[in-house]
Amino acid sequence: MARMILKAANTFLNLIVIIALCTASLYAGYALWDNNQVYAAAENVQDSMIKLKPVVAEGEEGASFEELLAVNPDVCAWVSVDNTNIDFPILQGETNLTYINRDVYGNFALAGSIFLDSRNDRQFHDLVSLLYGHHMEGSDMFGDLDKFKDGAFFDENRTGQLILPDRVYDLEIFACMLVEASEDAIFDPHLYEADIDKLLSLTELEAMHYDAEKVADLRAHSGDSQILLLSTCSTEFTDARTIVLAEMKPHSNR
């Protein structure tokens, strides 16, 4: 009798284990499918948006900024970084939560959008303007900011563009750093109404890589230079953020 009870108990335990394994497998499969859907959705949005990327030089064939604004009037610029997959419209919402999980069409999307800090001037007249984007694998959204942590890549890839409705800036990347999400020198644009000295000091102290000559030149023109910060999450420590810093220089051919 005892042997029969023990056998029944073992059978029951085996059944529980099998059910648990099947459940775990189903969940893992769903999680993988769901993750793929998130990335596919982000890629689909980028593919549709790249067709509306505004032209830089007058006379070039391509889209106008008005076509972007027709999709969403919250679009305020377009950012691209050479030799990366960063090539996106920039939106600005009423708060920094507006586009954190919403795409350029206004639809819910875990990948969100690239967006300008809600405290910044949408015409990019501030000395320091701050962009946010989710960190995603496969070079989606701001995932490619990771590339600038590599010294060789940083040294060889330092250019990009910021396209506005009425003007264009060439971007000259001069630093990459890791900071905490609570770092005011990065995440409080209001600090830079007069000069960018505090940002440059943080760069010299915390940057993984930076161009010392460029930082010295920026310090010499601290009240006039404009900086674009590109921010995304990182995994080095709790609440880590990867920040790529670029000088905004007026494009000469427009």
Side-chain angles (χ1 to χ4, degrees), residues 106 248-249:
M248 297 164 49
K249 303 191 74 171

Side-chain angles (χ1 to χ4, degrees), residues 40-170:
E43 291 170 1
N44 289 339
V45 170
Q46 186 178 18
D47 288 343
S48 65
M49 280 291 99
I50 203 70
K51 299 173 185 177
L52 296 180
K53 180 178 180 179
V55 296
V56 172
E58 293 182 1
E60 284 185 356
E61 293 186 2
S64 66
F65 215 96
E66 286 70 23
E67 292 175 80
L68 269 181
L69 292 173
V71 174
N72 189 332
D74 284 343
V75 174
C76 57
W78 186 288
V79 64
S80 61
V81 177
D82 296 334
N83 298 320
T84 73
N85 199 44
I86 296 172
D87 206 5
F88 297 102
I90 300 170
L91 296 103
Q92 186 182 46
E94 291 184 9
T95 74
N96 285 337
L97 296 178
T98 304
Y99 286 102
I100 195 168
N101 288 130
R102 186 183 299 178
D103 65 25
V104 66
Y105 298 106
N107 299 320
F108 175 77
L110 288 175
S113 298
I114 305 304
F115 60 94
L116 175 68
D117 192 292
S118 60
R119 296 165 293 180
N120 274 128
D121 171 44
R122 66 178 284 116
Q123 277 81 43
F124 287 83
H125 291 135
D126 293 330
L127 292 183
V128 175
S129 298
L130 174 60
L131 302 184
Y132 300 93
H134 283 305
H135 181 277
M136 299 181 69
E137 296 178 0
S139 297
D140 285 321
M141 305 312 288
F142 268 0
D144 269 356
L145 292 185
D146 276 355
K147 292 184 176 181
F148 291 94
K149 297 176 186 177
D150 178 80
F153 185 88
F154 174 84
D155 289 339
E156 297 173 6
N157 299 276
R158 305 272 287 277
T159 58
Q161 283 190 324
L162 181 70
I163 306 172
L164 306 182
D166 60 344
R167 63 196 187 282
V168 176
Y169 291 99
D170 292 324

